[in-house]
């Protein structure tokens, strides 16, 4: 099967040292496999995406010579793909409307995991006259999901007990990341997902959705995170600096070091060639 990889940033701000690691790893993996590399702007959560952040990200990638092999796609324009997927799940009895507010869920089931509420399935058997707010995937009966991560090895998670029936379309009408990412990866023919380790936890939800929609499961590799001064994943909140467009080679070198790649010299293009060869050898 021809390799298709992707980098799928949420344009909540410019790329920083942490997001460049995922961009570089996914690009190198695509090149090393003789495959194609796509860029998808994940702007479904429009209120969190400041205007222009997408263009800045694309300019930062271009400065690093990380150039997509096809026109960039925007999730905000792909709603017409997501609705039929939800409709299919509803028709199959695999998804259902939910009337619960966050505080009702907290009251009904105080179990939390990483601060997240586990949805107790209150609306699985109907709304009982209440108005639908969100739409959820049924996870009961699925059993634990086992998958192989190319870097982290064998993984498993029982989505029903750790997350519960999760949201596909949010109460504010926006599409949830889980549905959009699964529909888009399949629609774009993505065969390999290479992304930051903070997203590894989402993989079993995405695998359940792929199964429910009859879509193929790509291979997964989750890359090391860059930690901020407070020991947490680098983010705007803990002081991540936007990548310096004036010195892309230095930014790439720092990202390559996180991936365990050797020091390379010269302009970005020369370094990328050296790292592609090193990546292929792994
Ligand atoms: N849009 C997500 C993010 O920027 C990444 C999604 C993915 O790679 O699956 O965190």
């Amino acid at each position: 099967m021809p390799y298709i990889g992707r980098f799928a940033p949420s344009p909540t701000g410019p790329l920083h040292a942490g997001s460049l690691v995922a961009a570089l790893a996914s690009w190198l993996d695509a090149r090393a496999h003789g495959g194609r590399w796509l860029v998808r702007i994940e702007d479904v959560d429009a209120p969190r995406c400041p205007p222009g952040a997408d263009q800045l990200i694309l300019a930062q990638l271009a400065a690093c010579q990380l150039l997509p092999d096809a026109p960039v796609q925007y999730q905000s324009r792909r709603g017409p793909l997501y609705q039929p997927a939800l409709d299919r799940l509803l028709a199959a009895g695999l998804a259902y409307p939910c009337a619960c507010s966050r505080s009702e869920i907290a009251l009904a089931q105080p179990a939390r995991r990483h601060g997240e509420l586990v949805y107790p399935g209150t609306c699985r058997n109907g709304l009982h006259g209440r108005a639908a707010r969100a739409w959820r995937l049924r996870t009961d009966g699925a059993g634990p999901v086992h998958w192989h991560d190319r870097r982290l090895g064998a993984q498993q998670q029982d989505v029903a007990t750790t997350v519960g029936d999760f949201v596909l379309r949010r109460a504010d009408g926006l599409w949830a990341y889980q549905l959009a990412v699964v529909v888009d990866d399949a629609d774009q023919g993505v065969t390999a997902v290479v992304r930051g380790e903070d997203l590894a936890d989402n993989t079993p939800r995405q695998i359940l959705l792929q199964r429910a929609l009859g879509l193929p499961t790509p291979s997964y590799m989750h890359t090391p995170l860059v930690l901020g001064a407070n020991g947490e994943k680098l983010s705007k909140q803990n002081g991540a600096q936007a990548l310096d467009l004036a010195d892309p080679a230095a930014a790439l070198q720092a990202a390559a070091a996180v991936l365990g790649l050797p020091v390379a010299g010269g302009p970005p293009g020369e370094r990328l060639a050296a790292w592609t060869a090193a990546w292929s050898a792994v």
Side-chain angles (χ1 to χ4, degrees):
M1 204 196 301
Y3 179 112
I4 301 181
R6 60 23 165 220
F7 175 55
S10 302
T12 52
L15 292 185
H16 52 68
S19 34
L20 185 63
V21 172
L24 175 61
S26 63
W27 188 93
L28 289 173
D29 202 50
R31 284 290 168 274
H33 285 87
R36 284 153 57 80
W37 186 69
L38 311 179
V39 172
R40 183 172 71 229
I41 301 288
E42 300 213 318
D43 55 350
V44 265
D45 195 351
R48 287 185 58 229
C49 302
D54 59 321
Q55 290 305 321
L56 185 50
I57 289 172
L58 296 174
Q60 290 173 310
L61 290 172
C64 293
Q65 297 289 311
L66 302 175
L67 302 169
D69 296 317
V72 174
Q73 298 283 337
Y74 283 76
Q75 283 189 328
S76 56
R77 300 174 196 161
R78 294 167 69 83
L81 269 85
Y82 308 143
Q83 185 63 53
L86 177 58
D87 290 344
R88 273 168 54 206
L89 295 169
L90 288 166
L94 296 170
Y96 62 89
C98 172
C100 298
S101 65
R102 224 184 135 69
S103 51
E104 283 170 329
I105 298 168
L107 277 176
Q109 159 63 282
R112 282 167 189 263
R113 185 167 167 273
H114 306 318
E116 288 295 316
L117 296 170
V118 176
Y119 183 67
T122 317
C123 293
R124 249 181 228 152
N125 301 317
L127 294 172
H128 303 294
R130 302 198 298 160
R133 295 165 50 89
W135 279 260
R136 293 179 182 273
L137 186 82
R138 281 193 85 118
T139 57
D140 53 328
V145 179
H146 297 263
W147 81 100
H148 174 78
D149 183 281
R150 290 169 52 206
R151 176 173 153 260
L152 303 172
Q155 306 287 311
Q156 74 156 337
Q157 186 190 85
D158 186 347
V159 178
T161 54
T162 50
V163 184
D165 296 353
F166 57 89
V167 171
L168 303 172
R169 187 166 199 175
R170 299 171 11 176
D172 56 11
L174 296 177
W175 293 102
Y177 157 64
Q178 308 295 352
L179 182 72
V181 80
V182 163
V183 169
D184 283 343
D185 281 342
D187 180 68
Q188 296 185 282
V190 168
T191 59
V193 170
V194 178
R195 60 187 177 190
E197 195 175 324
D198 54 317
L199 292 162
D201 211 29
N202 291 269
T203 306
R205 270 171 275 177
Q206 293 168 16
I207 291 174
L208 280 188
L209 253 179
Q210 289 151 3
R211 290 181 189 161
L213 287 164
L215 300 172
T217 292
S219 67
Y220 287 98
M221 176 174 177
H222 290 90
T223 55
L225 300 181
V226 178
L227 302 183
N230 59 0
E232 288 178 4
K233 181 202 159 193
L234 200 58
S235 68
K236 265 186 304 180
Q237 288 69 32
N238 60 20
Q241 302 284 318
L243 285 188
D244 183 2
L245 278 171
D247 197 358
L252 277 170
Q253 183 60 66
V258 173
L259 293 167
L261 292 162
V263 175
E270 272 175 37
R271 295 179 196 228
L272 289 173
W275 293 324
T276 304
W279 192 273
S280 306
V282 176

